[in-house]
Amino acid sequence: MASSSPLCLFLLPLLVAVVTVRAQGQDPFMWVSALRSRGYGVGSLTGDSTGGECPEVCDCPPTFPIAMYCDNRGMTSVPNVPSRMKYVYLQHNQITNVPDDAFANATNLVWLMLHENGILNIGKKAFAKMKNLDRLYLSHNNLTKVPSNLPNSLRDLRLDHNQISKVPPNAFEGMENLTMLLLHDNAIQDVGAALKSLSSLLLLDVSSNKLKKVPESLPDQIHQLYMESNAIDAVPNDFLSHFQQLQYIRMSHNELTDKGIPANTFNVSGLVELDLSFNKLERIPVVNTKLEHLYLQANQIKEFTLGSFCSVV
Ligand SMILES: *[C@@H]1O[C@H](CO)[C@@H](O)[C@H](O)[C@H]1NC(C)=O
Ligand SMILES: *[C@@H]1O[C@H](CO)[C@@H](O)[C@H](O)[C@H]1NC(C)=O
Ligand SMILES: *[C@@H]1O[C@H](CO)[C@@H](O)[C@H](O)[C@H]1NC(C)=O
Ligand SMILES: *[C@@H]1O[C@H](CO)[C@@H](O)[C@H](O)[C@H]1NC(C)=O
């Protein structure tokens, strides 16, 4: 009978399972929200005895005077952000425009949350002076291109759920510390060589775009690569030979055919999850026996033998 490799144990459930796990949605920084004290909405811009100046519409808790909470207030423009601020929450408003001087004094920002607005335009210099910005969340807006002059200090950049079609070649230049880049649910056809300089990138999500091929110049140390729901019909020769750390590849809902997967492409050690479901494969690709999760449902697989997956002992 079959060996008891993790793949074999997983074999039967995987053929019927439709699993969608996504590293998104939940705000992982709830601890800061927990520090938030309510009831300080009457602060004024001229300063007070509690936590320093604060736009009237926002909360600046005296117990955490470097944070400013302006989320979900129906705001249509960015308020003045005092220079002491490091954590600014502006998500879930109706901001459509972020002019060059919107954050003129806010040069110390570490986190800037601007997701769930209707942002169409961002001035070319809007973020340029932020030398310590670590997280910039611009998800769920109406951007059509990656903003210019993003700070090199970013570690976590979220641009998912916009209408981005243009990724300039220098969009991420110099971002040597960027580890997480979310670009999913946009209209990107090609990322060109824009990812080349991201020497710390661990997670790239470009799913639900219009990609016809696997992005070129992926950083060598990438760990999670999500490309589902695109129009990719092939993977490059030697695709995985460059990526020693790659553990998760999700390519469901593409147009992969047997011809597009060179022999032994996925027969590499290190992979933990390979999702090739909802493609046009007729054969089961050769995979390493240590692979834990292989998804192949909704293809046109014509052969099925246990030997396809399991070494026989
Ligand atoms: C920046 O600070 C100056 C001086 O305190 C103030 O006059 C100006 O309105 C501030 N601008 C913004 C955009 O916060
Ligand atoms: C932004 O896009 C959404 C749909 O994605 C649309 O409903 C909304 O009207 C757009 N907002 C602006 C300001 O264009
Ligand atoms: C990247 O992180 C290191 C270590 O924290 C820091 O010294 C360096 O300045 C950062 N790079 C940029 C471009 O901010
Ligand atoms: C898969 O790779 C292993 C080790 O690199 C090799 O020994 C084996 O022959 C390969 N399997 C197939 C079917 O080519």
Side-chain angles (χ1 to χ4, degrees):
M1 242 330 266
S3 77
S4 57
S5 84
L7 175 60
C8 298
L9 295 176
F10 202 75
L11 185 59
L12 290 178
L14 78 83
L15 288 170
V16 286
V18 179
V19 178
T20 309
V21 183
R22 258 291 173 75
Q24 66 170 44
Q26 193 78 20
D27 181 353
F29 313 111
M30 296 303 285
W31 64 274
V32 165
S33 301
L35 291 173
R36 171 180 184 171
S37 56
R38 304 221 173 236
Y40 293 97
V42 291
S44 88
L45 251 181
T46 51
D48 61 23
S49 56
T50 49
E53 60 177 300
C54 183
E56 202 153 333
V57 63
C58 304
D59 290 339
C60 306
T63 50
F64 193 49
I66 53 173
M68 180 169 144
Y69 298 90
C70 317
D71 47 304
N72 204 10
R73 318 276 155 123
M75 303 176 86
T76 54
S77 62
V78 177
N80 283 4
V81 181
S83 61
R84 71 176 188 280
M85 293 303 173
K86 291 191 173 176
Y87 306 98
V88 169
Y89 299 82
L90 286 163
Q91 72 269 26
H92 201 67
N93 281 295
Q94 280 119 49
I95 298 167
T96 54
N97 189 26
V98 179
D100 275 340
D101 62 354
F103 297 101
N105 300 322
T107 53
N108 296 311
L109 289 185
V110 178
W111 295 357
L112 178 53
M113 305 290 141
L114 280 165
H115 48 288
E116 293 170 26
N117 277 283
I119 300 173
L120 290 158
N121 301 304
I122 295 183
K124 281 194 162 54
K125 297 177 190 154
F127 306 122
K129 284 199 230 155
M130 300 173 188
K131 297 292 178 225
N132 298 311
L133 197 64
D134 187 281
R135 302 170 204 266
L136 177 58
Y137 290 8
L138 285 164
S139 312
H140 291 273
N141 278 294
N142 296 55
L143 298 172
T144 55
K145 59 176 183 140
V146 176
S148 311
N149 298 313
L150 292 172
N152 286 347
S153 51
L154 285 171
R155 290 173 195 274
D156 181 350
L157 175 58
R158 305 190 181 191
L159 290 163
D160 55 284
H161 292 93
N162 278 278
Q163 288 113 47
I164 295 173
S165 58
K166 270 187 239 155
V167 183
N170 61 352
F172 310 113
E173 207 169 87
M175 293 189 192
E176 58 179 12
N177 293 326
L178 195 71
T179 55
M180 164 119 99
L181 178 56
L182 302 188
L183 285 168
H184 56 89
D185 292 277
N186 277 293
I188 302 168
Q189 289 185 25
D190 191 358
V191 294
L195 306 170
K196 200 172 183 165
S197 61
L198 299 176
S199 54
S200 299
L201 194 67
L202 297 179
L203 188 154
L204 175 67
D205 193 342
V206 286
S207 51
S208 299
N209 274 288
K210 295 176 175 171
L211 297 176
K212 293 208 162 76
K213 55 187 176 110
V214 174
E216 338 167 346
S217 310
L218 286 169
D220 288 352
Q221 75 300 330
I222 191 117
H223 190 264
Q224 280 149 277
L225 182 52
Y226 302 153
M227 303 182 285
E228 56 265 53
S229 299
N230 278 289
I232 300 170
D233 62 2
V235 297
N237 270 321
D238 283 338
F239 174 39
L240 296 185
S241 58
H242 307 287
F243 310 116
Q244 305 301 321
Q245 321 285 328
L246 192 52
Q247 294 198 332
Y248 298 84
I249 301 177
R250 299 192 186 145
M251 295 192 77
S252 68
H253 296 275
N254 275 285
E255 312 201 347
L256 291 171
T257 59
D258 299 333
K259 216 174 82 193
I261 300 185
N264 273 329
T265 298
F266 297 116
N267 182 16
V268 292
S269 55
L271 269 191
V272 172
E273 180 180 313
L274 177 61
D275 187 350
L276 298 173
S277 59
F278 295 90
N279 277 289
K280 295 174 177 168
L281 301 178
E282 293 182 9
R283 286 201 307 267
I284 298 170
V286 176
V287 295
N288 191 282
T289 51
K290 295 211 174 69
L291 183 68
E292 288 175 30
H293 306 273
L294 173 65
Y295 301 91
L296 282 170
Q297 75 272 16
N299 276 283
Q300 294 141 31
I301 308 285
K302 291 179 174 157
E303 54 176 44
F304 179 72
T305 61
L306 214 48
S308 307
F309 298 91
C310 307
S311 49
V312 176
V313 289

